Amino acid sequence: VSLHAQPRYSVVISEIMADPTPQIGLPNAEWLELRNTSNVSINLQGYRLQKFGGTPSGPMPLFNLQPDSSVIVCTGSQVAALSAYGTTISVTSFPSLSNDADAIALNTPAGAMMHAVAYSNTWYKNAVKADGGWTLEMMDTKNPCTGIDNWTASTDAKGGTPGKKN
């Protein structure tokens, strides 16, 4: 496990469930998926989520995110429901995600920005899916800053792929 600061984009926000209703097949919960794009395990302890201009979430617990793997992050009350889909950790004060457009950052324990996404419902490229129940998925996690061109609505029958490759 690396104790050194990781380069920016070593961990990226790879999937966003901002509007869980109407439910398609996943729990009625907002969550984010984080993916380790590096070749080393990264301890997420102390990392925080923060909406632009908002209050940061509580710190993430000690959790070693393995290379090329993902973890679901949500509020504590949703851990049990989301754990059925993959490894899940919670933070206090999980930021409420706007359905239409929002900006969310993943910050290191030192407060540096690891990755940020400013999404909008146009990123679904599908009016039905933009209405709720579907996630936005990053298609290429090695190109995390390409905006709408690198995000699309999930094509999974459940409405998203928490804890799995997009």
Side-chain angles (χ1 to χ4, degrees), residues 59-143:
M60 293 184 191
L62 192 154
F63 178 80
N64 291 313
L65 185 57
Q66 299 303 313
D68 196 35
S69 66
S70 60
V71 64
I72 303 160
V73 184
C74 61
T75 188
S77 62
Q78 298 296 340
V79 169
L82 286 164
S83 291
Y85 299 95
T87 305
T88 306
I89 61 175
S90 68
V91 293
T92 57
S93 303
F94 183 89
S96 176
L97 302 171
S98 167
N99 297 351
D100 296 330
D102 220 332
I104 184 94
L106 173 66
N107 295 329
T108 69
M113 188 182 297
M114 176 60 73
H115 181 229
V117 180
Y119 66 88
S120 87
N121 57 8
T122 60
W123 288 20
Y124 290 96
K125 304 170 192 127
N126 177 308
V128 172
K129 291 181 179 183
D131 196 43
W134 298 85
T135 63
L136 285 170
E137 296 184 339
M138 185 188 290
M139 294 178 276
D140 179 3
T141 57
K142 297 293 187 184
N143 286 294

Side-chain angles (χ1 to χ4, degrees), residues 10-91:
S10 297
V11 180
V12 297
I13 298 166
S14 55
E15 190 167 4
I16 301 168
M17 176 58 95
D19 184 2
T21 56
Q23 284 177 262
I24 305 301
L26 294 171
N28 184 4
E30 291 186 357
W31 50 268
L32 298 173
E33 177 189 80
L34 304 179
R35 179 163 283 279
N36 182 343
T37 62
S38 78
N39 58 6
V40 297
S41 176
I42 297 175
N43 183 355
L44 295 180
Q45 186 171 24
Y47 277 68
R48 296 174 189 264
L49 298 169
Q50 183 173 9
K51 283 177 44 161
F52 288 13
T55 305
S57 72
M60 293 184 191
L62 192 154
F63 178 80
N64 291 313
L65 185 57
Q66 299 303 313
D68 196 35
S69 66
S70 60
V71 64
I72 303 160
V73 184
C74 61
T75 188
S77 62
Q78 298 296 340
V79 169
L82 286 164
S83 291
Y85 299 95
T87 305
T88 306
I89 61 175
S90 68
V91 293

